[in-house]
Amino acid sequence: MASIVEEPVSIPTSTSDSAWAPASWRGRPTLQQPTYTDAAELEQALIKLSQLPPLVTSWEIFRLKELLAEAAAGKRFLLQGGDCAETFDDCSSPLISNRLKVMLQMSLVLVHGLQMPVVRVGRFAGQYAKPRSADLETRDGVSLPSYRGELVNDAAFNAAARRADPQRLIRGHAHSAMTMNFVRALIDGGFADLHHPEYWDLAWVRHSPLQDEYGRMVEGIGAALRFMETLAGQPIGSYQRVDFYTSHEALVLHYEEALTRQVPRQDGWFNLSTHFPWIGMRTAQLDGGHVEYFRGIRNPVAVKIGPSVTPDQLLRLCDALDPRRAPGRLTLIHRMGADKIEQALPPLLAAVHRAGRAPLWVCDPMHGNTESVSNGYKTRRFGNIRRELDCAFDVHAASGTHLGGVHLELTGENVTECLGGARDLTENDLARAYKSTVDPRLNYEQSLELAMLIVRKRGSARA
Ligand code: PEP
Ligand code: CO
């Protein structure tokens, strides 16, 4: 295995630049923050949080940075996925293991089809905070603070539930730790063993239209593995486990700051709540608190890029977040919408390319394709998700850049939240199993189908 990339500290640290500190974001306008009514209660929670153990280590962070650098260079593909928002109730054995199963199955399809290693990053173990379009929600003339995710408040529509509760910061950390602990245990215990892909089967999909194709692929891989082990005369240990990393939108900066730590024998600061935090589209202002916070941490970082970002803004964001152009440091996740990507993406790709930058480009085909249908449900059409992803591959190919990954909202449950896909879900199906408190997710079949479509698309692009 290649050695850890030890780049020089690419960002200001407290010792080399007194202008940055884990708390320096507090001096900047910072959007999407909860309003805490009791400053002393918040301070106490933050002190407690800052004493709790971290959730990830600096060497895992460096390793991921190295893998992301390989993805940017076209040698790997990033699969990043999970819930739009986790809830504390979702922190349960079946939900976590089903989500892991889907990600493992998708990554198997991608590795096999793309003939390329995959970096697996979960949108979980910390995805508890959501940006909202308004600070207040009004129902029947009553206005209350908007639901901002379980790290902040509760979705129920009453004053007590909607209060921003600092204790939730600590509960968020605990639920992240429990999720992470279970995922690590499953993976270390052989759950991801390629010799046993049947561990990842989900009972309800036995009759899925996609099962046959997937089954044939798994059989082929099993035969190849047995052949190689016969040749080697022993089991090949590296097929018994995989690496799995975590990510979340680092939105509530008090939480992120409390988990920003220094570690022995390393310069600078690390966000040790997750391997790979990202800045959401609504909080990527150049002079805002989020960019200020992110520029000072040593993790690989991502930013969501929407259709209204200009080339100039994007270049300035790149300079702020990755001044030294460190391999693997910066990922740009574009989320334009199927109808806008063809217009909006090429000028951005051209500007970044001309500036001599080679970030990891990732397509999020979910967030630009959300719509409300006549029965009131917020949904996404599989056809639009697929169209945006297809178009992303084409636009990158035409621009001389490289699409190195996808960012998806998905679940291993049999939900009916997105329309279309192999079972052609219709608006009438939405009510049957719509469970998301925020954005609609791909269910297992739709996720697997998308992985197969990526393979076909890349295959046809190469031919
Ligand atoms: C999200 O990822 O759930 C989200 C809110 O995305 P975006 O910032 O791209 O709108
Ligand atoms: Co979302």
Side-chain angles (χ1 to χ4, degrees):
M1 188 190 288
S3 64
I4 304 276
V5 176
E6 258 314 300
E7 76 208 38
V9 179
S10 62
I11 27 130
T13 68
S14 62
T15 46
S16 65
D17 178 356
S18 58
W20 189 89
S24 57
W25 65 270
R26 296 185 187 208
R28 301 288 177 94
T30 306
L31 300 184
Q32 299 285 346
Q33 301 306 290
T35 305
Y36 292 105
T37 46
D38 184 336
E41 192 189 7
L42 173 63
E43 212 40 49
Q44 287 231 315
L46 294 177
I47 290 169
K48 173 74 186 156
L49 202 52
S50 67
Q51 291 161 350
L52 290 172
L55 302 175
V56 303
T57 63
S58 59
W59 56 89
E60 291 169 341
I61 287 172
F62 283 133
R63 174 67 183 143
L64 176 61
K65 216 180 209 176
E66 190 178 63
L67 299 179
L68 295 173
E70 288 179 14
K75 297 184 194 138
R76 276 181 187 273
F77 196 76
L78 170 71
L79 172 63
Q80 185 175 20
D83 286 314
C84 181
E86 295 170 280
T87 63
F88 295 161
D89 280 348
D90 287 352
C91 185
S92 72
S93 163
L95 263 77
I96 295 169
S97 57
N98 284 352
R99 195 170 44 205
L100 200 60
K101 286 175 183 178
V102 175
M103 294 281 286
L104 287 168
Q105 288 198 4
M106 289 176 82
S107 71
L108 195 61
V109 168
L110 292 172
V111 170
H112 183 254
L114 302 179
Q115 302 279 300
M116 178 184 284
V118 167
V119 197
R120 300 160 200 86
V121 176
R123 247 185 94 107
F124 56 62
Q127 181 52 19
Y128 289 117
K130 297 309 298 174
R132 301 316 304 237
S133 49
D135 283 342
L136 293 178
E137 181 183 344
T138 304
R139 290 190 200 172
D140 301 327
V142 179
S143 291
L144 291 173
S146 293
Y147 171 56
R148 291 187 174 276
E150 302 229 322
L151 194 64
V152 177
N153 56 7
D154 189 274
F157 195 74
N158 64 68
R162 290 295 174 92
R163 183 183 90 96
D165 178 357
Q167 292 309 316
R168 285 181 167 269
L169 299 168
I170 294 164
R171 291 175 68 199
H173 173 275
H175 284 80
S176 299
M178 287 185 272
T179 304
M180 192 95 85
N181 182 54
F182 188 44
V183 169
R184 287 187 194 279
L186 283 172
I187 287 190
D188 287 343
F191 187 69
D193 188 342
L194 254 187
H195 300 85
H196 294 288
E198 72 277 9
Y199 292 174
W200 319 333
D201 285 346
L202 289 142
W204 64 272
V205 287
R206 240 164 244 144
H207 306 294
S208 163
L210 299 170
Q211 263 322 84
D212 289 350
E213 188 174 347
Y214 177 72
R216 276 195 302 276
M217 197 196 77
V218 168
E219 261 168 43
I221 293 171
L225 199 60
R226 284 190 294 279
F227 174 69
M228 280 162 57
E229 292 186 335
T230 308
L231 272 186
Q234 60 187 6
I236 301 173
S238 56
Y239 295 108
Q240 287 161 5
R241 68 181 308 286
V242 296
D243 286 337
F244 222 103
Y245 297 93
T246 61
S247 66
H248 66 252
E249 178 175 351
L251 185 69
V252 178
L253 291 184
H254 280 300
Y255 177 82
E256 307 299 334
E257 179 194 321
L259 283 151
T260 302
R261 311 278 172 86
Q262 289 182 296
V263 301
R265 291 177 295 282
Q266 294 290 350
D267 290 322
W269 295 81
F270 296 80
N271 181 327
L272 297 182
S273 76
T274 189
H275 300 109
F276 189 22
W278 79 82
I279 306 181
M281 186 188 73
R282 290 163 192 79
T283 49
Q285 299 74 25
L286 265 165
D287 59 350
H290 290 83
V291 171
E292 170 61 16
Y293 169 76
F294 270 71
R295 81 182 174 92
I297 53 171
R298 293 197 65 192
N299 304 56
V301 299
V303 195
K304 294 278 207 92
I305 307 295
S308 62
V309 172
T310 65
D312 180 57
Q313 284 168 339
L314 183 56
L315 290 181
R316 289 199 286 152
L317 258 180
C318 293
D319 289 342
L321 294 170
D322 183 22
R324 304 250 179 121
R325 305 176 178 218
R329 159 74 176 168
L330 183 63
T331 296
L332 299 177
I333 306 174
H334 47 78
R335 32 87 81 225
M336 301 294 173
D339 292 335
K340 293 195 179 149
I341 181 168
E342 237 166 345
Q343 287 260 301
L345 189 57
L348 300 178
L349 298 183
V352 172
H353 193 52
R354 258 200 318 272
R357 287 190 169 274
L360 170 57
W361 290 104
V362 170
C363 176
D364 164 358
M366 313 295 295
H367 285 90
N369 294 311
T370 315
E371 59 183 282
S372 291
V373 284
S374 52
N375 51 12
Y377 281 99
K378 193 168 157 190
T379 187
R380 292 164 172 154
R381 292 172 202 275
F382 190 83
N384 287 340
I385 294 169
R386 173 192 183 162
R387 195 152 58 86
E388 176 158 0
L389 201 47
D390 266 358
C391 193
F393 279 108
D394 294 339
V395 170
H396 276 279
S399 307
T401 49
H402 174 72
L403 182 64
V406 282
H407 180 114
L408 303 171
E409 286 186 343
L410 54 83
T411 171
E413 305 313 297
N414 186 8
V415 299
T416 55
E417 297 172 4
C418 291
L419 300 173
R423 278 187 211 241
D424 202 15
L425 296 182
T426 67
E427 291 183 23
N428 294 334
D429 293 310
L430 293 177
R432 185 150 46 83
Y434 196 105
K435 297 188 188 151
S436 175
T437 47
V438 265
D439 288 341
R441 302 158 295 175
L442 299 169
N443 64 25
Y444 162 80
E445 281 179 318
Q446 292 166 328
S447 303
L448 199 61
E449 185 173 3
L450 207 63
M452 289 174 177
L453 288 169
I454 292 169
V455 166
R456 274 187 217 130
K457 180 71 187 170
R458 281 281 294 258
S460 65
R462 279 209 207 106

